[in-house]
Amino acid sequence: MAAPIAHIMGAPIAHIVGARPNFMKAAPVIRALEDREVAQRVIHTGQHYDATMSDIFFRDLGLPEPDLNLGVGSGSHATQTAALLVALEKAFERERPALVVVYGDVNSTIAAALVAAKLVLPVAHVEAGLRSFDPTMPEEINRRLTDALSELLFVTSPEGIAHLAREGADAASIHFVGNPMIDTLMANLDRFDADAARERLGLETEYAVGTLHRPGNVDSPEAAQRIVSAMVGLSERIQLVIPLHPRGGGQLAAAGLRAGDRLRIVDPMGYIEFLSLVRGARLVVTDSGGIQEETTALGVPCLTVRPNTERPITISHGTNRLVEPEGVLPAAEKVLAGGAAVAGEREGPPLWDGRAGERIADVIEAWLNA
Ligand code: UD1
């Protein structure tokens, strides 16, 4: 039944990926559509382009080489988004896709949705409905606008349904499917070798992992100062390894972030290496979105250094809590004393069961047939 779809539709589905967190969300959807023999192609915008920010994820996740790489690269929000709009419009005009599938909340996501909508191409948004209600986060703007332009809204967490309904989304367009990022995690669980990762870095048995890249934490000298103090304080309590995102490295160094034996600063890591490290960590300190979810799925305590989260389910059903920079050390002490709730004792978020990609593919297939 699946094979003729490509024929009937002519133009294939286009998956738009561009930045690191897109890749693990797209992989299970692409795979599930491949199983159904739906014609598809992958367009990489080139928002992330370093080997450690992009290529290694394609290899680790067994993703097909992108059919097209637009090579858009970095810039201010306006510069980057404008370049994305121009390049994506050319790509979509060349071969009008039957459906444009976008992921998450990065600039590539909103740019693809906007271009598609103006060309009257239908858009599917994977990870719809998440809201931090923080208008200072560029991702929040990207989320709201992408959802407003999408015909298929794939929701990872039940509160997303209510957010979308409140904003006037048609109930028929909302599909609660679970979390494809967790599909990828579950599919690769056997490859996350914590001991090997720890030994490769020569870490002590007990260690913490840190990641930092949010503009709110790294862009201003004041914010960088607070976060660096928190990290240095934590490293005096437990050995800390930070795979450092290229953004903000300079600002953090200026604020006094120095590599040493207690505080390891390493290059960004691939998917398997990073989650191996996280799996064996006593705790994770982060300002990432996806890592809040991955630590919940792995049962590793997570301290999120942000004033809010668009992923509150990782607090109510997982291992996450929000902290101020000054709260990192006290919260870490609690975790290390064994006082923190750990997933596994809890039920976990609903439908984070490794089958989100299949549910998404089912909906897309039915939509194409209709
Ligand atoms: C982007 C997303 C953010 C996501 C993050 C994950 C937006 C608005 N933000 O932030 O939501 O959490 O990806 O990593 O889309 N750089 C490199 N090499 C690269 C990519 C970036 O050196 O391969 C450096 C450049 O200095 C660049 C800076 O990182 O200017 C920021 O990159 P950009 O893609 O604009 O945003 P991220 O901070 O990565």
Side-chain angles (χ1 to χ4, degrees), residues 204 234-241 260-264:
E204 293 165 10
L234 180 64
S235 71
E236 285 162 6
R237 177 67 180 79
I238 182 169
Q239 195 176 32
L240 173 64
V241 53
D261 179 54
R262 302 291 300 165
L263 201 172
R264 300 291 183 81

Side-chain angles (χ1 to χ4, degrees), residues 19-21 47-50 53 74-75 77 80 105-108 138-139 142 213-214 245-247:
R20 189 165 62 173
Q47 178 177 344
H48 285 175
Y49 42 86
D50 285 351
M53 299 292 286
S74 304
H77 281 274
Q80 185 178 62
D105 55 18
V106 302
N107 283 348
S108 299
E139 292 83 357
N142 295 345
H213 74 283
R214 283 278 155 222
H245 187 287
R247 179 200 183 90

